[in-house]
Amino acid sequence: MDVIGYRKIADGGLDTVMVDIRLIMSSVLLCNATRIAVAHNHPSGTMRPSASDRSLTNKIIEAGKVLDIQLLDHIVMTTNSYYSFRDEGEF
């Protein structure tokens, strides 16, 4: 499995970012990808995903079902570590 591309979808403020699922999925479709991984950072250093992070993950999974696109992982990065939804069995 090869990485065929990456794209920054959104920039955030100090404590929030608005992510449009349509932008994620349009990028995936334009690349003819069938599997994706998404990642974002938590500058606060808090590794645990927020309720918004979980909601975003679920929206990506549901949109992927319609388009036959698999979400491989959603990773939350901090300066010193990361949180993997896949590793933690959240989907």
Side-chain angles (χ1 to χ4, degrees), residues 3 12 18 25 29 45 62-63 75:
V3 174
M18 296 302 296
M25 290 304 169
L29 292 169
E62 291 305 311
I75 299 170

Side-chain angles (χ1 to χ4, degrees), residues 5-62:
Y6 66 92
R7 180 175 180 197
K8 182 198 289 189
I9 298 296
D11 283 318
L14 295 175
D15 62 355
T16 189
V17 62
M18 296 302 296
V19 178
D20 190 330
I21 298 300
R22 293 170 295 189
L23 291 175
I24 293 172
M25 290 304 169
S26 68
S27 293
V28 174
L29 292 169
L30 288 170
C31 291
N32 294 321
T34 58
R35 294 179 293 234
I36 62 169
V38 296
H40 74 278
N41 68 324
H42 277 187
S44 66
T46 304
M47 244 179 37
R48 282 298 200 197
S50 66
S52 296
D53 295 336
R54 286 189 168 86
S55 175
L56 174 63
T57 302
N58 289 329
K59 287 179 182 179
I60 294 169
I61 290 169
E62 291 305 311

